[in-house]
């Protein structure tokens, strides 16, 4: 029994709940990532999204006779950085020709890597600790982009097709996972974790909506407890995490239905129809022999030195998993909260403020609830620490602190100055009690419901009185002080 089958047979292997009882989901992912280089993989054409069609092209990226490729050194460096971030071995590698013809690849072959990839044997550790093995992460060039006009948007029933070669020759890394994934949530988490790694390392902008990160999912099913690998289908070019989950669920259910009725799925590539909520047949799946790989004669092997790899390791930035662990230790917050702050890139801000003495719970609350903005770069650890100190001392209420944090995000600067400009001052306790007494006198029925009601009614009326006080004081009152006053008067 191989390690893969042994792992699959473990008692704690997760089970996909969307499948009927007795069936197990098996998923492997292939993720194409465009590298964040200035130019293409083998020529000096701009690697730029959104240009006018067919303006970033030359004889080399079109594969015209007589043109020769020259390897982009920055692309190789980024590929190795990604490999090390995924825990891969970085190897001596060679480029190969993968022979096939499509209109978006007019030179009859794609330059890629075959049996000697740059990166091999890595892993992605998900937020819950589940590990997805990485078989390889190899360098290759992207194809052009076809647009089929008319019919259903497929080439088979199009009136005509357009091809934009701006994307042809853009440097890619294809990350191939092992078929370790057993649930849809883990498949989605794997893509999200990979995207976090790409952004942390600066290897790619990983914009799925622009196609710089595209996911293929290899899906099959088998009876639970079996160690066989049944026929898989590859769902191509999925461009959102939500679509990935929907596509896997549909395809797995289709396989279960076929097997249950004495039929079997054909090995093929399929396309996800977002509007129809289903996969559709593309073409029969080729095997490696069909591509007649051979070594690219116009490019020399890539020979990374030990010193180069050591330098990459030394310069590696903190990765999402390590950042989550550090923020969890600093705040004690739950996994979802920590994951959100790391995804926003606010984890270092939180840790620095806490290290400077800010209350951890208040820091997390302010960031999670009140700093979900695109640009929060003007908020510094010092200003956040000062703001939290003002809230902790009672100089600002929670509502006021939220408003001052908004000012810091917009303008930066000193939170005390923003609070003074807004006229925020600590409200006198006696003044607050007078307001509460007046509110009770003005709303005797509501007070009776608060004083004599059950827990649910009391909570509802507490919200009413607190809201009225906040409205009357324009958020100047301390909500906790209001709750304490109400409780004291009820007693």
């Amino acid at each position: 029994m191989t390690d893969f089958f042994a792992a699959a047979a473990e008692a704690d292997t997760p089970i996909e709940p969307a499948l009927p009882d007795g069936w197990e989901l098996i998923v492997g992912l292939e993720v194409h990532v465009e590298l964040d280089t200035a130019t293409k993989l083998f020529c000096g054409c701009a690697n730029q999204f959104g240009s006018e069609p067919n303006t970033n092209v030359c004889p080399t990226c079109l594969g015209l006779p007589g043109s020769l490729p020259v390897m982009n050194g920055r692309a190789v460096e980024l590929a190795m950085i990604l490999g090390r971030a995924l825990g891969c071995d970085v190897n001596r590698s060679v480029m190969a020709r993968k022979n096939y013809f499509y209109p978006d690849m007019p030179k009859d072959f794609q330059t890629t890597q075959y049996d000697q990839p740059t990166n091999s044997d890595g892993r992605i550790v998900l937020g819950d600790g589940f590990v997805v093995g990485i078989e390889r992460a190899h360098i290759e060039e992207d194809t052009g982009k076809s647009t089929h006009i008319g019919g259903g948007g497929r080439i088979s029933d199009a009136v005509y097709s357009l091809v934009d070669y701006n994307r042809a020759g853009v440097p890619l890394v294809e990350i191939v996972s092992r078929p370790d994934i057993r649930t849809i949530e883990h498949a989605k988490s794997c893509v999200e974790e990979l995207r976090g790694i790409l952004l942390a390392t600066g290897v790619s902008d990983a914009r799925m909506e622009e196609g710089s990160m595209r996911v293929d999912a290899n899906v099959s099913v088998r009876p639970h407890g079996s160690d066989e690998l049944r026929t898989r289908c590859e769902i191509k070019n999925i461009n959102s995490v939500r679509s990935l989950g929907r596509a896997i669920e549909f395809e797995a259910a289709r396989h279960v239905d076929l097997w249950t009725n004495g039929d079997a799925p054909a090995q093929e590539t399929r396309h996800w129809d977002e509007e129809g909520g289903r996969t559709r047949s593309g073409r029969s799946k080729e095997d490696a022999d069909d591509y007649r790989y051979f070594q690219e004669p116009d490019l020399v092997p890539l020979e990374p030195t030990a010193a180069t790899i050591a330098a990459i390791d030394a310069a590696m930035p903190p990765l999402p998993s390590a950042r989550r662990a550090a923020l969890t230790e600093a705040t004690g917050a739950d996994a979802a909260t920590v994951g959100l702050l790391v995804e926003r890139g606010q984890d270092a801000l939180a840790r620095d403020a806490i290290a400077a003495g800010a209350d951890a719970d208040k820091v997390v609350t302010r960031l999670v609830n009140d700093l979900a903005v695109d640009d929060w770069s003007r908020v510094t650890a010092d200003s956040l620490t000062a703001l939290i100190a003002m809230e902790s001392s009672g100089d600002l209420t929670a509502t006021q602190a939220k408003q001052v944090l908004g000012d810091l995000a917009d303008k930066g600067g000193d939170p005390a100055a923003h609070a003074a400009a807004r006229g925020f001052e600590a409200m006198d306790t006696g003044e607050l009690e007078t307001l509460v007494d007046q509110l009770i006198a003005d709303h005797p029925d509501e007070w009776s419901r608060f004083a004599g009601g059950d827990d649910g009614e009391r909570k509802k009326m507490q919200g009413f009185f607190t809201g009225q006080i906040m409205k009357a004081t324009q958020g100047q009152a301390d909500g906790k002080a209001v709750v304490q006053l109400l409780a004291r008067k009820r007693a």
Side-chain angles (χ1 to χ4, degrees), residues 347-368:
D347 50 308
L349 175 64
R351 286 190 286 106
D352 289 347
I354 293 167
D359 179 86
D361 290 340
K362 284 186 170 59
V363 167
V364 170
T365 298
R366 287 291 145 256
L367 295 186
V368 169

Side-chain angles (χ1 to χ4, degrees), residues 11 20 134 156 176 217 453:
I134 299 299
S156 57
V176 181

Side-chain angles (χ1 to χ4, degrees), residues 427-435:
M427 195 167 185
D428 180 77
T429 303
E431 184 182 358
L432 180 60
E433 185 164 5
T434 300
L435 282 173

